[in-house]
Amino acid sequence: GANSDRVQAETDAKLEAVQSENESLKQVEAKLTRELDLAKEALVELRAACDLTRVADLERKAAQVDFLQVEAERLREKANGEARKRRALHNQLVDLQGNIRVYCRVRPVLEHERKSGQAGVVVDLEDEGEVALRQSHASRDQEDRFEFDQVFAPESSQAQVFEQVEPLALSALDGYNVCIFAYGQTGSGKTYTMDGSSADRGVTHRTFETLFSGIEERQKAGLATYTVELSVLEIYNETIRDLL
């Protein structure tokens, strides 16, 4: 009996302690729950405040974008207007220089000509637009003078020659009909002037580069659209051949 009472008393004491500890834990849990709810409410308020700030920031940026778009359109229109004026002045200058222009390019003496011992310079370039040709006859020496729009000396470069031709290529982009051709006897340098070499391109390649560069620039600016067509013809013995 005495032992049973003692065990019962210890059990009741432990149970009371556990119940007391459980009550304390419930109070702590309730406190943490309240703090968690307050934290959630604060987080919601913080997110709302952040969203308002973000919305205001986005609206401000959108307004800046709208302004920049309007300004860009204004500057684009201004640039297009200046480009039209420049093209008009360019074409007026081309017209003033003459619709038909004749250039003369004097090629240098070639190495095999020097070795032959028969080479001799018979041309004087006294003026950039004039060539003096000396010819020896049995009875007398004769000098003939010829005038051109431009005369290129033997040391002239491909770039210098194309510089005179480039305005015509640009006029083609504005709708003008343009024709560029080389004329001269065999061995006078026509192929070199028109085609050049892979390291130093001639008129043909440089013209294509100028045309396609101008087309790309104008189409990006919205000034015009272009369709390019190409035909390659050969005239041989008064017969026209389509090389394509």
Side-chain angles (χ1 to χ4, degrees):
N3 289 334
S4 177
D5 292 340
R6 184 172 55 79
V7 170
Q8 182 67 39
E10 290 177 355
T11 301
D12 291 341
K14 289 180 179 179
L15 179 61
E16 185 178 351
V18 169
Q19 289 176 343
S20 176
E21 185 178 357
N22 188 38
E23 187 65 29
S24 297
L25 290 174
K26 286 182 178 180
Q27 292 177 359
V28 171
E29 181 184 8
K31 182 179 179 182
L32 291 175
T33 300
R34 288 194 301 273
E35 291 178 352
L36 179 61
D37 291 339
L38 291 174
K40 288 181 178 179
E41 292 176 1
L43 180 60
V44 170
E45 293 178 356
L46 180 60
R47 284 177 175 174
C50 289
D51 287 341
L52 290 174
T53 302
R54 187 177 181 183
V55 168
D57 185 52
L58 290 175
E59 289 177 346
R60 183 172 63 255
K61 290 182 178 179
Q64 291 176 346
V65 169
D66 291 340
F67 171 77
L68 292 175
Q69 286 178 339
V70 172
E71 185 67 10
E73 184 63 27
R74 185 185 69 82
L75 292 175
R76 189 180 297 110
E77 286 296 325
K78 183 177 180 181
N80 290 344
E82 293 298 326
R84 285 190 290 269
K85 291 179 181 178
R86 178 186 59 78
R87 291 199 306 274
L89 291 173
H90 164 78
N91 289 318
Q92 288 178 12
L93 177 60
V94 170
D95 288 338
L96 288 173
Q97 290 176 335
N99 291 326
I100 299 177
R101 271 170 267 169
V102 181
Y103 301 123
C104 175
R105 187 179 194 183
V106 180
R107 73 162 173 80
V109 177
L110 303 180
E111 185 62 29
H112 73 271
E113 293 172 332
R114 290 193 181 93
K115 291 180 179 179
S116 70
Q118 301 297 317
V121 178
V122 296
V123 172
D124 288 329
L125 307 179
E126 299 177 357
D127 185 79
E128 64 178 13
E130 187 177 76
V131 173
L133 177 63
R134 299 191 305 274
Q135 300 183 69
S136 296
H137 299 280
S139 59
R140 61 184 179 84
D141 291 337
Q142 179 179 337
E143 182 178 88
D144 297 309
R145 294 180 177 273
F146 303 91
E147 292 186 359
F148 300 91
D149 291 288
Q150 178 78 33
V151 176
F152 298 99
E155 63 272 12
S156 62
S157 66
Q158 299 281 63
Q160 289 174 323
V161 174
F162 182 69
E163 185 179 350
Q164 295 296 322
V165 177
E166 185 177 17
L168 299 175
L170 294 174
S171 291
L173 294 179
D174 294 325
Y176 287 80
N177 292 323
V178 176
C179 176
I180 304 171
F181 68 92
Y183 179 82
Q185 69 185 43
T186 301
S188 59
K190 302 185 298 298
T191 300
Y192 178 77
T193 295
M194 298 303 290
D195 292 345
S197 63
S198 59
D200 194 11
R201 296 297 194 182
V203 170
T204 302
H205 294 83
R206 293 173 186 263
T207 299
F208 281 139
E209 290 175 356
T210 298
L211 286 175
F212 285 107
S213 175
I215 288 173
E216 182 180 8
E217 178 182 342
R218 295 186 186 194
Q219 289 189 155
K220 282 184 178 179
L223 295 176
T225 56
Y226 294 89
T227 300
V228 179
E229 296 180 356
L230 175 68
S231 62
V232 181
L233 305 176
E234 177 187 61
I235 302 177
Y236 183 73
N237 287 340
E238 300 182 0
T239 301
I240 298 177
R241 299 179 180 179
D242 187 346
L243 300 182
L244 296 180

